[in-house]
Amino acid sequence: MQNSIRRPRRPRRPRALAALRTAASHASRAVLSAREFARVLAAFALLVLPASAQTGLRPQAATHAPQNLCVRDVLLAPGDDGERATLLLSGGRIEARLAADAPTPKGYAVIEGEGRLLLPAFVDAFTTRGVSAPPASQDRTGDGPHVQDARADVLADMRPALRRGLRPSFRAVDVAELSTEHLDAWRAAGFGYALQSPAGELLSGRGALVSLRDGALRDRVVVAEAAMHASFSSSGGGYPSTLMGRFAHLRQFALDAGHWAELEQRRTEGRPGPRPPYDPDLVVGAELARGELSVLCAADRAADVRRWLRFAQELGWRVVILGGAESGELAPRLAGGSVPVVLTLEWGDEPDDPRKVKPKGKRSASAKSDDSAGDEDPGESEESEDAEESEDSEDAEDAEDSDAATPEGEEGAQAAQTSAAPAEDSAEARLAPYAEPYAVRLDRRLEWEQRRDSALVLARADAPFAFGSAAESPGELLGRVRKLVEAGLPRDAALAALTRGAAGILAGNAPGDVPRGSLAAGAPASFALWSADPLTDKKARVVWMFVEGHGWQAPPAKDAVKKDGESKGDAR
């Protein structure tokens, strides 16, 4: 596959040699102009420097600009009976979908699919990578930031604004950046788009949906203001520091935004009234109240999900639950209210399942003690405890008597303790190691499975959901989606959540260039050519990745995959 691309022959003018010939034609001149001298130097550099230095490409991966391409003989669905086709790409879009054995039109370079699986590019519905947000606004006064002392500072007037933890006017698109290593990590896991978003505040700001191809950020932005991020946390000390205070803080901001919107409407209609203040935060707050922008509400616990749903109904916000570890408990309500969920799949470390019986070996003493603990008579246990206490008191009295009778004093006491240490160690060695009760271990396992299986419950309730990597690597996200499929999530539901489901949640009614997970003619040429099905096979790897027609050829297989669910290109 490294050399499977065949380009059509067309005459090319040797620009470097032509530039040298032009310089030679002017050799009769005594002095060359500055422009001609620069052209000679550039031509010399093109002839001398290696190709890697001219293009800036890393040797382990190759990128290709959009051109007329024919991706021949690809599998559109897993399985032996899956449809096979040939795709024609032109202008960054899928121009046509032909039969697998259709002849290649003239003027198209060819990539041999060799029957490999072709899937739409995945969408990472939430990531904080590449977004460095400034601290949220503090108290606003005419003289800049001001920390009020309630005992000393007596203000004659209200402060213009208290915006601690609120920065809704911040835009990730203004600061977002991704290194080549980050881009390669996403593409190696099959992701072509990602929502880069700020986080950590009550209102953190607006995230941007970007494509993960090479190029300047301005060329990769799909939706500049895709969604607002909200949470029940804020940085810094002081008010608001409690959950009730944060609710009040958000509610007051919503009321201020509503008042601003009313003043703006009166001004637009030419009605009398004060001029609305210039406040970008309130402008965005009015957009949230009108439902023009989705709000990603961070909530893992079911109680927090309920709070956001009630709060959104009060304020008129269009919410999307972010995190959703326990969202499965509210699946019918989420499906009925059409509230999407972006699952970050942060389950924590998987605990052992105590229900699994070991096929070989005898039961340990601790396991026997766990089983016998529930059958023990309370009266007998009390008697045994009394007996142990009496024995301990007798031992303590004997120790005091022996210490008092020792003629050597402190040195003798230390020697006695040293001689008794081996006996104590041997007694402790005979004790069985402590093991948690079976019920505790089973409860911990069931709680973990409940968080993991939220996606399965949402799928059964037909509630919309997608997946986001948050602060983790895209390879880890794909690995956890694969574990969900192993646990019972339908493969088609997992693929939909990674493609058209995520695009529908983030893009809404955006223009047609938004990735919808389609491979039909006219759709963006954003897909990945896989060696196997990545949702069922942990050894699957990307061979070719196309994002809006920009091709990316993966490195060799031995360097592409480091371990299950994590590619070598992943960078934290």
Side-chain angles (χ1 to χ4, degrees), residues 489-502:
L489 179 66
R491 179 194 173 278
D492 293 341
L495 180 60
L498 286 169
T499 54
R500 61 179 181 272

Side-chain angles (χ1 to χ4, degrees), residues 440-530:
V440 174
R441 289 180 283 129
L442 178 61
D443 185 64
R444 183 184 300 111
R445 175 70 186 189
L446 293 177
E447 288 182 357
W448 182 87
E449 291 181 355
Q450 182 183 19
R451 294 192 299 269
R452 181 200 64 184
D453 296 343
S454 291
L456 283 68
V457 179
L458 293 174
R460 288 194 293 266
D462 200 20
F465 66 95
F467 299 118
S469 62
E472 302 296 331
S473 70
E476 289 174 337
L477 174 62
L478 181 60
R480 290 172 183 173
V481 173
R482 187 184 303 117
K483 288 183 179 181
L484 286 177
V485 175
E486 295 174 355
L489 179 66
R491 179 194 173 278
D492 293 341
L495 180 60
L498 286 169
T499 54
R500 61 179 181 272
I505 293 173
L506 300 177
N509 297 323
D513 57 350
V514 173
R516 304 287 182 181
S518 173
L519 297 175
S526 300
F527 53 81
L529 191 62
W530 291 86

Side-chain angles (χ1 to χ4, degrees), residues 40-269:
V40 172
L41 288 180
F44 181 76
L46 288 174
L47 291 176
V48 175
L49 293 179
S52 60
Q54 297 173 21
T55 59
L57 298 177
R58 298 191 304 163
Q60 66 267 28
T63 57
H64 304 271
Q67 57 179 313
N68 292 341
L69 282 177
C70 175
V71 185
R72 183 197 298 277
D73 188 18
V74 295
L75 187 65
L76 301 182
D80 297 335
D81 56 348
E83 178 186 359
R84 302 178 76 155
T86 293
L87 300 183
L88 298 182
L89 312 183
S90 179
R93 293 184 176 274
I94 299 176
E95 183 180 11
R97 194 165 82 179
L98 310 176
D101 56 353
T104 303
K106 293 183 179 179
Y108 283 78
V110 178
I111 292 180
E112 295 292 347
E114 300 177 354
R116 288 184 170 89
L117 180 64
L118 187 142
L119 295 177
F122 300 154
V123 180
D124 189 338
F126 176 76
T127 179
T128 58
R129 290 189 175 194
V131 179
S132 299
S137 301
Q138 302 295 317
D139 299 357
R140 294 185 181 180
T141 67
D143 299 328
H146 174 70
V147 179
Q148 181 186 7
D149 186 352
R151 298 169 298 178
D153 297 336
V154 180
L155 301 181
D157 196 1
M158 292 288 291
R159 287 165 293 181
L162 174 61
R163 299 284 171 78
R164 185 176 289 114
L166 301 175
R167 57 180 183 212
S169 60
F170 174 79
R171 302 197 314 167
V173 71
D174 296 328
V175 300
E177 58 182 8
L178 289 173
S179 64
T180 303
E181 288 75 14
H182 284 140
L183 291 174
D184 287 350
W186 261 296
R187 292 182 294 214
F191 288 87
Y193 301 87
L195 175 72
Q196 291 185 265
S197 174
E201 303 291 348
L202 295 173
L203 291 178
S204 305
R206 294 161 289 177
L209 181 63
V210 300
S211 67
L212 301 174
R213 64 176 178 84
D214 289 328
L217 176 63
R218 64 180 184 179
D219 297 327
R220 298 190 293 107
V221 174
V222 180
V223 181
E225 300 176 6
M228 174 70 66
H229 180 275
S231 68
F232 288 135
S233 62
S234 60
S235 60
Y239 178 85
S241 59
T242 62
L243 181 61
M244 183 176 64
R246 288 163 185 155
F247 266 109
H249 200 44
L250 285 171
R251 185 176 287 109
Q252 183 61 55
F253 172 76
L255 293 174
D256 293 342
H259 180 63
W260 180 93
E262 182 180 355
L263 294 179
E264 178 65 18
Q265 182 179 4
R266 294 178 66 90
R267 185 191 65 83
T268 303
E269 296 175 354

Side-chain angles (χ1 to χ4, degrees), residues 23 26-37:
H26 296 285
S28 59
R29 299 181 183 180
V31 179
L32 292 176
S33 65
R35 179 177 298 179
E36 291 173 344
F37 183 71

Side-chain angles (χ1 to χ4, degrees), residues 324-375:
E326 298 180 4
S327 59
E329 298 182 18
L330 304 173
R333 183 176 178 182
L334 296 174
S338 299
V339 178
V341 181
V342 175
L343 298 169
T344 54
L345 306 184
E346 296 173 335
W347 309 323
D349 296 334
E350 180 178 1
D352 295 333
D353 190 351
R355 295 167 295 185
K356 294 183 179 180
V357 180
K358 296 182 180 180
K360 294 182 180 180
K362 297 181 179 181
R363 301 174 65 191
S364 62
S366 60
K368 294 180 180 179
S369 63
D370 292 341
D371 296 340
S372 61
D375 300 333

